[in-house]
Amino acid sequence: MHLRRLPLLLGALALSAPALALAQEEDDAPIAYPDEEDSEDSPRKLPRRSEDPTADFDRMRDDEEAEGEFERLAGEDDPNKGLVGEVIVGAMLMDSSRGRVADPTFGLGLRFTWEFGRILNNEPLRETVWADLRWTMAGLSDGTELIKGSTRTHYFSVAPAYEYVFGESKTYGIFGQLGGGFAFQTTSLTIGEEQTAVKGMKPLLQYGVGFRGRPRVSEKMAVAFRIELMRFRRGYMDDTFVGGSIGTAF
């Protein structure tokens, strides 16, 4: 009786091994989850961070909605105020009333410059726009021991300028300038011991070009200099100044 049951037991054992293996594979299979997009409880995927650390900044910089989130810091690390004072010297070629091309004389003056581009909080304009408050004086005298005539002309002007800067430190540039003001002229005629003086004022137009430099000598101070060709039109007369200036910039 036991011998008859032995083949049945062996057959049952042979069939149970594949069934156990199949059941084990089903247990080890990953559990199927619902689609993440359809599940409200599924965690959200975080966006991959860009390998370029400036990519997010560039994206937000171009986004008009995010522009207000960034504070412009142009010039925050610049201790300079953009103020310059210079002494002007050169030759003044004054329009001649005697039919000559010009009457050359010595020109002297003072100039104060304000680099107002620094208050615009715009990096390209910081070093390129500025304005001058200028006084220049030139005089002529001629005559004999008996009759002498002399003229002194004072040029007062305010003239903004635009400068094309170059160099790594942006301390040198070529500029063009246009402004206006007035010319105050005094003329005296001396005959023997008698002197007659005449004074007058005329509107003034100033325009010209030049080269400007501000090499730095310390963190807060620089040497300022210019070489310029400037015209002063007073009334119907044109005076030309050829010279330069030197001073200090803060």
Side-chain angles (χ1 to χ4, degrees), residues 21-239:
L22 180 60
Q24 184 66 31
E25 291 180 359
E26 293 178 354
D27 293 339
D28 295 340
I31 300 174
Y33 289 94
D35 189 359
E36 292 182 355
E37 296 180 358
D38 299 333
S39 176
E40 297 181 356
D41 298 333
S42 60
R44 297 182 179 178
K45 293 183 179 180
L46 297 177
R48 294 182 58 188
R49 298 187 61 181
S50 173
E51 297 179 359
D52 183 2
T54 64
D56 292 338
F57 176 78
D58 292 338
R59 176 182 56 80
M60 296 190 70
R61 182 184 58 186
D62 296 334
D63 189 354
E64 296 181 357
E65 295 181 357
E67 185 176 357
E69 299 180 9
F70 293 96
E71 180 182 359
R72 296 183 182 272
L73 300 178
E76 289 295 326
D77 58 346
D78 189 353
N80 299 282
K81 304 299 182 182
L83 302 177
V84 185
E86 295 173 292
V87 177
I88 305 170
V89 292
M92 182 70 79
L93 307 178
M94 302 188 69
D95 201 344
S96 178
S97 59
R98 295 180 292 182
R100 298 179 181 178
V101 175
D103 290 327
T105 185
F106 180 73
L108 177 68
L110 295 174
R111 174 169 46 218
F112 298 96
T113 303
W114 178 34
E115 297 175 353
F116 64 89
R118 296 174 179 270
I119 67 173
L120 301 179
N121 206 20
N122 187 301
E123 189 65 27
L125 297 180
R126 283 182 54 78
E127 310 290 342
T128 58
V129 291
W130 39 269
D132 288 337
L133 176 63
R134 175 176 181 148
W135 163 74
T136 310
M137 185 271 294
L140 290 171
S141 62
D142 199 2
T144 65
E145 293 184 359
L146 180 62
I147 302 175
K148 296 180 181 179
S150 64
T151 299
R152 294 287 182 271
T153 305
H154 301 265
Y155 307 85
F156 299 91
S157 62
V158 177
Y162 179 82
E163 180 180 0
Y164 173 75
V165 295
F166 53 86
E168 184 177 356
S169 58
K170 297 182 179 180
T171 55
Y172 300 96
I174 299 172
F175 67 89
Q177 193 168 28
L178 175 65
F182 65 92
F184 179 73
Q185 186 174 12
T186 61
T187 301
S188 64
L189 178 63
T190 304
I191 302 176
E193 295 182 357
E194 295 289 334
Q195 185 179 40
T196 303
V198 178
K199 301 178 181 179
M201 187 181 300
K202 294 182 178 181
L204 177 71
L205 176 66
Q206 174 190 336
Y207 59 96
V209 295
F211 172 80
R212 181 173 180 246
R214 291 157 298 152
R216 190 163 302 285
V217 296
S218 68
E219 183 180 1
K220 296 184 178 181
M221 188 176 68
V223 175
F225 68 89
R226 291 192 209 178
I227 300 173
E228 63 183 13
L229 173 63
M230 203 65 57
R231 297 292 300 273
F232 298 93
R233 183 170 182 84
R234 48 186 178 94
Y236 60 90
M237 306 183 75
D238 291 295
D239 303 329

